Amino acid sequence: LARAGGQPHQLPSTVFATTSNSYSTDICNSVIAIAGTPDFQYLEENDIDINHHDSGEDFVCEMDGFTVPIFGTDEQMEELRKLLNEGELISAETTIAVTNEEFMLTEDGVNAGVVLPPGNVILKNRRRNLERNRINGRRSTNQRIRNLTAHVGEKQVLVVRVIDAEGKASDDAQTVSNKFFGTYGDKMTMKSQFEACSFGKLKISNNYSIDLSNHLEAPGVVDVNIPLKLAESNRLQVRTASINAAEEKLGIELPGPFHHVVFVVEGCYTDCGWAGYAYVNSWFSIFQGQYYKMAGVQLHEFGHNLNLAHSGGKDGKVYTDHSCLMGNPLYGDDAGAMCFNPAKGFQLSYSNDGDGWYDNKDSDVRVWNSGKTGGAQWSGSIIGVADYGNNPDSNHVILKLESGGPRDLFVGFNRAKGINKDNVEASNEVTVIEAGRDGLGYSQSFLKANLKEGESYTISNWQGSGEELVIVVKEINTIKNPFHADVTVTLGRIDTDSPTA
């Protein structure tokens, strides 16, 4: 058996497998996906190949007040990841069938989990109609479900600084507060960069709806003590102990009144290889060591909370689109001035019932369907996200090309300036990104092409038409303010007299 969550890359010493066909979809309130950022320094020092280390998302079963890992075969774990990326499984909303056995335990009795019944994964799609009460943590049927993953508005974020049984803790609470909220003058933080990339639509706040004055060690930061030694505990044990300690100190069931709760631990000693990880489409994230200081890592994990998947490169690997923060390109204390690729930008603009980061959907984001008849053409100018606030000609920021299938293309101009000046790959080039789920939900994206002026990218048999779709960068204008890319997209051959879309 393999398991997701806790120690996804190391099997327990002994697990008691099941052949039981008796199962229930009522044990887990939901199944939550976990995604994270690799600790590349640890992997390199221990000669670990990232592709062997990270096989994809992990999964936990959400119960009343706690989560436990989900155990299943390798094939079942891959099926879960496929269902997640195709939208059949919605993290923190869909529930899953597990066996009626109460728990499966390792020999030491420490690592509990639920077991998938033999065969294909069985899901029950249901949007939870119960909400944690904001104050006392009890479930309430009188309130509408609170959208923790909304992409706009003020987000109440609490940071929990964890102190282990040996007194090991990260930097002092004031430093932690400064790194997340810029409390004492730090200019590059999760708070500052999300507000910049969203043009003020998404604001990180430590102004809470309840009084925490007796608990805060610094603005937005609470200290908790756990009875475990980090050096002797795996990530599941640390996560569980940290959440329990925070709930006990605050007297609420998390997330309580907070949209997101961030945990910071001094380091990782067992079950390592991660810089941080987060619950997808949910409220929890955690950072180890010095990674909490890095705005790029902060935004990446918070992106998972907002239901963003990873961004892969042209090599087909998970993390290698370095034109996007979901591709893990930035690991510096002061480096973080970077936003998201066009696919992620589309999701941040259009999901959540259309309430997103761009004001005018018709001009800011262009959706084009070529159809299947050769001769269709689109031409237009695209500006970079960094120039969204300087767009007198109302040029597009994102061009979405409807494929007629599950995965569409998203085109953008990757202008490296201002809020995107720390960009790592394809600076001032046109990028073509492929992503699934119509661009509206969690889906691993891949960079398919980065184009300079005069270059093109061709897709054969577009929409099953037998015709080629050709994306051409006619010009990258670096004279006019703002810089922009003139792009033409053509399906098949076009007559010179044919009209353009």
Side-chain angles (χ1 to χ4, degrees), residues 45-112:
E45 290 174 351
N46 290 273
D47 197 27
I48 300 174
D49 185 344
I50 177 61
N51 298 305
H52 294 147
H53 170 79
D54 196 326
S55 56
E57 299 89 355
D58 303 317
F59 299 88
V60 293
C61 164
E62 179 191 23
M63 297 182 171
D64 287 332
F66 63 100
T67 61
V68 295
I70 294 174
F71 292 81
T73 65
D74 289 338
E75 291 76 17
Q76 287 175 319
M77 294 299 107
E78 281 304 310
E79 184 181 0
L80 279 175
R81 295 178 186 115
K82 183 173 183 289
L83 293 168
L84 174 70
N85 279 273
E86 291 180 350
E88 295 297 320
L89 188 164
I90 309 297
S91 179
E93 294 186 15
T94 304
T95 192
I96 193 170
V98 296
T99 66
N100 284 320
E101 297 174 10
E102 184 174 357
F103 286 109
M104 178 176 72
L105 300 176
T106 59
E107 238 177 12
D108 57 15
V110 172
N111 297 305

Side-chain angles (χ1 to χ4, degrees), residues 16 33 68 83 132 143 172 176 218 258 295 312 348 409 412 432 483 494:
F16 304 120
V68 295
L83 293 168
R132 286 188 175 89
Q143 299 173 336
D172 60 71
V176 174
F258 314 108
L348 291 165
L409 296 181
V432 181
F483 289 9
I494 185 167

